[in-house]
Amino acid sequence: MSFIVRKSSDRCTPFRCFADRSEPMIIVLIIVAVIVQSSSSLGQANLFASQKVQDPGVRPGPAGSGQPIAGLTAGELNFFQTIGQPVFSEVESVHNGLGPRFNLNSCAGCHSYPAVGGSSPPHNPEFSLAAAMAPGNLLPGFISDTGPVREVRFVNDASGNPDGGVHDVFTITGRSDSPTGCAIQQPDFTNASNMAFRIPTPVFGDGLIESITDMTIRANLAADPAGQKSQNGIGGKVNVGFVGGAVNTNPNDGGITRFGWKAQNKSLTVFAGEAYNVEMGVTNEVFPNEREDDPSCATNATPESDTAFGVGTLGASDVAAFRSFMRFLAPPLPSCTGAACSPSIQNGHSLAAQIGCLTCHTETLTTGVSSTAALSLQPVNLYSDLAVHHMGAGLADGITQGAAGPDEFRSAPLWGLGQRLYFLHDGRTNDLLVAIKAHHSPNSEANQVIANFNHLSPTEKQDILNFLRSL
């Protein structure tokens, strides 16, 4: 298209010019150019609108999890199937140690999706079981049918001092098996600003995670071969279960703690024992004392679960059963691997590495030599460095656990993400894209990585989401 430059003597309307006096009239088709340009811009906008980036959602098909790890001995497999899994799924009563305060009455109730050992199911058992399980209690507003299973921690106690402990949702008051005279009340859940929520962490593959040596974790955290950590502002540290002092070790054995949202627990035994006492109120050989002091409610002899000693027999305690179930539980299987994945998933994998996602979410670590052959010298495709990182003000929960401060969290293992319903430590979203963007906030180590993500094209962002949902 050619344009005619008008003379200064021409008179114009917004759409065409007319020559004065006897000069020939010149029509400039500005309107055509405007329409062409507008059509081009509209077409480009429609193109980007058609490329809307969205979480593809929970992938269909088999769970790909919940099975014993390959290579167990006949004895190990028998223990997993006949003792570990049944005890993990057992529903507790007051007679068996439930309460006096508790969040749910079984391990598998919280760790149930997409298979036993997972995380929150589509319908929250705290909601559906409350009337029968805790008849003398009110259901707090943060517990809903279609929300995640939640535990509550208080940031500060009644005196304003740091708290950080779990305050169970329910009590045994009102139950038919509750001791006569037990009338303890639920905590005060009206101060929303003082509450920090946690959702269940999946325990698939935890035996492999436990078998990764401290040296491997430290070496991986220190490594930065491509300079991505320094370029993207990634730091991180191991949690050692101890705050203060110059020595970077925990006071028990000097080793790295690695289980839980803040990597606060050292081993599966500690993890199981703490959860049994804190989440269900059952005292055990690891945590043998009641958390509730009211003698009208805490009437059972302690520890309520312990090794059973008999003449010629030895019965494993519940904590030993839990620990072995988690130890022998296989990691979740991805929907595909390598060249068997779609081009989108393969590209998403490459992009996740390029923009820095896999600097914290380390794809593979290797176990050390283990007394369990199935766990010995094995690659662990967990997508986590097992270290804690500053996640900024947006994700901070105000809780300190060990050396992990108020805004520090463990890099959550991403394996099994394809069938995860809720994301982040408090389950605040079920949208993977929202969870990714929540990593960006003041003082977060992930800020540059999220900026890198934001600079990708819509197609590239979608490829990353498709890759993550394939895990």
Side-chain angles (χ1 to χ4, degrees):
M1 178 182 295
S2 61
F3 292 89
I4 299 175
V5 178
R6 68 180 179 87
K7 300 175 184 178
S8 60
S9 59
D10 292 345
R11 55 188 175 83
C12 299
T13 72
F15 300 109
R16 58 182 180 175
C17 294
F18 299 90
D20 287 334
R21 303 181 187 88
S22 60
E23 291 180 0
M25 182 175 63
I26 301 172
I27 301 176
V28 181
L29 299 177
I30 299 175
I31 188 171
V32 176
V34 171
I35 291 173
V36 170
Q37 180 63 35
S38 298
S39 297
S40 175
S41 298
L42 182 61
Q44 189 177 41
N46 287 337
L47 174 63
F48 283 120
S50 67
Q51 291 181 307
K52 180 180 179 181
V53 181
Q54 61 183 8
D55 178 3
V58 177
R59 70 170 188 261
S65 53
Q67 301 301 312
I69 195 168
L72 295 177
T73 66
E76 290 165 344
L77 181 61
N78 179 68
F79 194 96
F80 176 91
Q81 294 175 331
T82 64
I83 299 177
Q85 192 166 30
V87 173
F88 194 85
S89 301
E90 182 182 6
V91 175
E92 303 291 350
S93 65
V94 175
H95 174 73
N96 292 330
L98 181 70
R101 299 182 183 276
F102 64 101
N103 284 324
L104 206 65
N105 55 4
S106 75
C107 297
C110 294
H111 300 275
S112 62
Y113 189 83
V116 173
S119 189
S120 292
H123 295 282
N124 186 353
E126 289 178 306
F127 181 91
S128 59
L129 298 177
M133 181 177 63
N137 293 246
L138 297 175
L139 193 65
F142 54 80
I143 300 295
S144 65
D145 179 33
T146 55
V149 172
R150 278 175 164 164
E151 71 165 27
V152 188
R153 293 175 183 267
F154 286 176
V155 178
N156 296 309
D157 61 20
S159 301
N161 298 314
D163 185 338
V166 175
H167 292 261
D168 292 321
V169 175
F170 303 115
T171 76
I172 59 174
T173 299
R175 289 176 57 104
S176 60
D177 58 354
S178 177
T180 301
C182 179
I184 54 174
Q185 301 299 306
Q186 292 168 276
D188 180 2
F189 294 127
T190 58
N191 185 2
S193 64
N194 194 44
M195 295 188 294
F197 300 118
R198 303 278 179 86
I199 65 173
T201 57
V203 298
F204 303 131
D206 272 2
L208 290 167
I209 292 176
E210 188 177 52
S211 300
I212 299 169
T213 66
D214 286 10
M215 182 173 64
T216 296
I217 296 172
R218 290 186 186 278
N220 175 69
L221 184 61
D224 191 16
Q228 275 194 319
K229 291 180 181 178
S230 57
Q231 292 169 16
N232 291 315
I234 302 298
K237 66 184 181 186
V238 295
N239 195 351
V240 292
F242 179 65
V243 178
V247 181
N248 190 27
T249 60
N250 71 50
N252 299 118
D253 71 345
I256 295 172
T257 55
R258 62 191 69 188
F259 295 106
W261 283 106
K262 293 197 177 226
Q264 70 269 17
N265 286 323
K266 169 63 179 174
S267 68
L268 290 175
T269 300
V270 174
F271 183 70
E274 180 191 53
Y276 209 22
N277 192 22
V278 170
E279 308 293 343
M280 285 186 276
V282 183
T283 56
N284 53 78
E285 64 265 51
V286 185
F287 292 86
N289 305 114
E290 292 280 9
R291 299 176 71 233
E292 173 58 49
D293 293 330
D294 190 329
S296 298
C297 301
T299 58
N300 290 339
T302 59
E304 292 159 314
S305 173
D306 202 354
T307 302
F309 298 97
V311 178
T313 63
L314 185 66
S317 68
D318 287 353
V319 168
F322 299 152
R323 184 254 186 180
S324 295
F325 172 71
M326 293 186 289
R327 182 171 170 78
F328 297 152
L329 194 60
L333 296 174
S335 64
C336 62
T337 56
C341 295
S342 69
S344 173
I345 291 173
Q346 292 183 58
N347 189 47
H349 184 188
S350 297
L351 287 169
Q354 290 171 22
I355 68 173
C357 298
L358 305 189
T359 53
C360 294
H361 294 282
T362 304
E363 183 168 352
T364 304
L365 297 174
T366 303
T367 65
V369 178
S370 173
S371 56
T372 298
L375 304 175
S376 188
L377 302 176
Q378 296 295 314
V380 188
N381 300 320
L382 74 169
Y383 290 92
S384 172
D385 60 7
L386 300 177
V388 295
H389 298 266
H390 289 287
M391 297 312 299
L395 289 178
D397 65 355
I399 305 296
T400 294
Q401 290 183 276
D407 75 336
E408 291 180 298
F409 292 91
R410 180 184 71 160
S411 301
L414 300 182
W415 58 5
L417 196 69
Q419 295 181 310
R420 203 81 52 80
L421 293 175
Y422 305 100
F423 301 112
L424 305 176
H425 63 279
D426 52 9
R428 68 180 65 181
T429 182
N430 57 9
D431 188 317
L432 182 55
L433 183 59
V434 172
I436 290 173
K437 292 186 174 182
H439 284 57
H440 186 283
S441 69
N443 301 315
S444 171
E445 292 180 35
N447 283 344
Q448 184 57 53
V449 174
I450 302 305
N452 297 341
F453 176 82
N454 289 335
H455 281 100
L456 298 176
S457 71
T459 299
E460 290 172 325
K461 292 177 183 176
Q462 190 63 58
D463 287 346
I464 289 181
L465 291 176
N466 293 344
F467 158 65
L468 293 174
R469 279 300 195 179
S470 77
L471 297 178

